[in-house]
Amino acid sequence: MKLAVLPGDGIGVEVVDQALALLARLDNKYNLGIESEKALVGGCAYDAHGHPLPEATLKLAQDADAILLGAVGGTKWEGLDYSVRPERALLGLRGELNLYANLRPAIVYSALADASSIKREIIEGLDILVVRELTGGIYFGKPKGVETLPDGTERGFNTMVYTTPEIERIAKVAFEAARKRSNKVCSVDKANVLECTELWRRVVTRVHQEKYQDVELSHMYVDNCAMQLLRNPKQFDVIVTTNMFGDILSDEAAMLTGSIGMLPSASLCGSKGLYEPVHGSAPDIAGQDIANPIATILSAAMLLQYTPAAGENGQAAARDIENAVQRVLDEGYRTKDIHTKGMKLVGCAEMGRLLAERIE
Ligand code: IPM
Ligand code: MG
């Protein structure tokens, strides 16, 4: 399995190191045949090469079976032009590799249910999957820009656009995922106002009728969904939605679980995928060995699960990681972001070591 490793900026570097240590251990145990190569991405790539996604990094990602990414961005690069901001690297990778299906699971570990700002009974046992469309919609639609009008004022604009095939393929991903879970899909749109999502709703409905009638499908407006996620999140199994709605709702879903430091993600196009924690580069805590590596480590588990090149043992290796996380949490070890009274506070490297130790 060819693995492209892009640690990026801020805590990305520390958390990816821990995930790599764990992968090395699993490679030993299961003979996964991992060949990994590192490259720069984001702000550090801009500093070194003048671009957040240098040609060599893109090429490495294109040639790999899977990509493990840490995080990009930081205060240092905030003043840069949009075209070379660290975030452009993420959008560039998504666009160039056509990674249209973004899977963001939000799972509440019972050991952590009290770390959430939401009452335990509302979120205990929560297990939802946000399927976010990732290469279309308002993020990529054209025309876009900021222009100066004849009277000297300015006009900024973006375009929200979806085509039938784009909606069909993401709907299929959601229905297929639901079949392996609780068999329910909620498609989230704003069909009462936006024509683009009126089409979204129509196409999702048709795909459902044609091929997935065994799956329970419902539709919800995005504003209501934002509310329902707080009111009764356990009503959801799979949520499928547009690029921008998915960006917002997945952060909300993340916070239900207590810490964004726990959430992994996969961005897929067929068998190829980019795996990254949902959290960002957290420059305020970078380099202090206090970041939570679990989101990245769980992203590595998704990588093993979804990459065919990991071979038959990939599934077992992924289970090992999930079990190790469960055990370490049950044993009371916590990084700062999820620490509560009476628990054992550990740093990033120590958390990584504890997890690795629990893999025989
Ligand atoms: C995410 C992030 C990105 C997005 C940014 C950093 C470009 O918020 O992955 O959710 O908006 O997609
Ligand atoms: Mg986001």
Side-chain angles (χ1 to χ4, degrees):
M1 172 173 54
K2 281 211 270 185
L3 178 65
V5 181
L6 314 179
D9 306 316
I11 60 169
V13 180
E14 307 157 50
V15 293
V16 164
D17 271 348
Q18 297 312 315
L20 286 179
L22 219 70
L23 281 174
R25 189 134 182 155
L26 288 162
D27 196 12
N28 256 332
K29 176 172 174 185
Y30 290 109
N31 261 315
L32 302 169
I34 298 176
E35 285 170 29
S36 63
E37 201 177 317
K38 273 192 191 172
L40 295 176
V41 75
C44 60
Y46 174 82
D47 287 347
H49 303 290
H51 197 281
L53 183 58
E55 267 311 311
T57 302
L58 179 59
K59 174 96 179 32
L60 183 73
Q62 277 164 334
D63 293 343
D65 295 308
I67 303 143
L68 182 67
L69 191 141
V72 299
T75 35
K76 182 176 170 198
W77 302 285
E78 264 162 23
L80 289 178
D81 187 78
Y82 256 69
S83 59
V84 288
R85 287 251 187 111
E87 292 78 8
R88 292 318 291 186
L90 280 185
L91 299 174
L93 283 166
R94 291 171 185 173
E96 292 292 331
L97 304 182
N98 196 20
L99 304 168
Y100 66 89
N102 184 213
L103 311 188
R104 297 188 166 182
I107 294 171
V108 173
Y109 291 85
S110 64
L112 293 184
D114 293 319
S116 174
S117 51
I118 310 292
K119 287 195 204 98
R120 178 181 265 275
E121 60 266 29
I122 306 276
I123 47 126
E124 192 160 32
L126 183 73
D127 180 353
I128 59 187
L129 176 67
V130 178
V131 176
R132 168 188 178 194
E133 199 291 326
L134 202 60
T135 53
I138 198 166
Y139 270 59
F140 287 87
K142 290 192 178 119
K144 62 172 183 175
V146 179
E147 62 185 16
T148 305
L149 299 173
D151 69 356
T153 60
E154 286 177 291
R155 178 174 172 270
F157 51 98
N158 290 88
T159 307
M160 184 175 193
V161 49
Y162 273 112
T163 60
T164 311
E166 284 177 313
I167 304 167
E168 281 171 351
R169 64 182 184 177
I170 194 72
K172 285 181 187 157
V173 169
F175 289 127
E176 299 284 348
R179 278 184 177 160
K180 297 189 195 124
R181 301 169 43 96
S182 302
N183 220 29
K184 282 202 308 194
V185 170
C186 179
S187 170
V188 173
D189 59 42
K190 190 72 186 174
N192 51 345
V193 176
L194 304 173
E195 282 81 355
C196 177
T197 65
E198 188 268 319
L199 174 68
W200 176 281
R201 187 176 286 220
R202 240 188 314 122
V203 174
V204 172
T205 305
R206 176 170 54 70
V207 172
H208 176 250
Q209 265 163 10
E210 283 169 5
K211 276 184 73 180
Y212 298 98
Q213 290 198 27
D214 56 301
V215 181
E216 189 185 320
L217 171 66
S218 60
H219 301 274
M220 200 179 268
Y221 297 138
V222 63
D223 49 348
N224 186 27
C225 182
M227 184 176 76
Q228 294 298 333
L229 273 172
L230 295 180
R231 197 186 69 87
N232 176 20
K234 283 187 250 176
Q235 71 186 283
F236 298 108
D237 177 26
V238 174
I239 291 175
V240 62
T241 191
T242 65
N243 204 340
M244 186 164 71
F245 296 163
D247 178 45
I248 300 166
L249 294 177
S250 63
D251 264 30
E252 193 185 356
M255 216 38 224
L256 295 173
T257 71
S259 172
I260 200 163
M262 294 290 298
L263 294 201
S265 78
S267 304
L268 308 172
C269 175
S271 66
K272 172 126 177 173
L274 181 149
Y275 301 82
E276 59 177 323
V278 167
H279 63 69
S281 58
D284 53 321
I285 61 162
Q288 299 172 37
D289 191 35
I290 55 175
N292 186 348
I294 295 181
T296 310
I297 284 169
L298 288 172
S299 299
M302 289 184 92
L303 185 156
L304 293 168
Q305 187 185 341
Y306 291 114
T307 309
E312 299 170 351
N313 287 336
Q315 306 297 325
R319 285 298 90 70
D320 274 14
I321 294 185
E322 289 163 4
N323 291 338
V325 169
Q326 186 81 55
R327 273 182 60 193
V328 163
L329 293 177
D330 287 346
E331 289 164 28
Y333 295 103
R334 302 283 189 273
T335 44
K336 195 168 171 217
D337 56 313
I338 50 174
H339 185 254
T340 46
K341 233 179 109 206
M343 297 294 140
K344 292 169 253 188
L345 183 64
V346 296
C348 179
E350 176 69 358
M351 180 56 97
R353 198 188 55 75
L354 288 164
L355 289 165
E357 243 177 42
R358 275 148 194 77
I359 288 165
E360 311 295 299

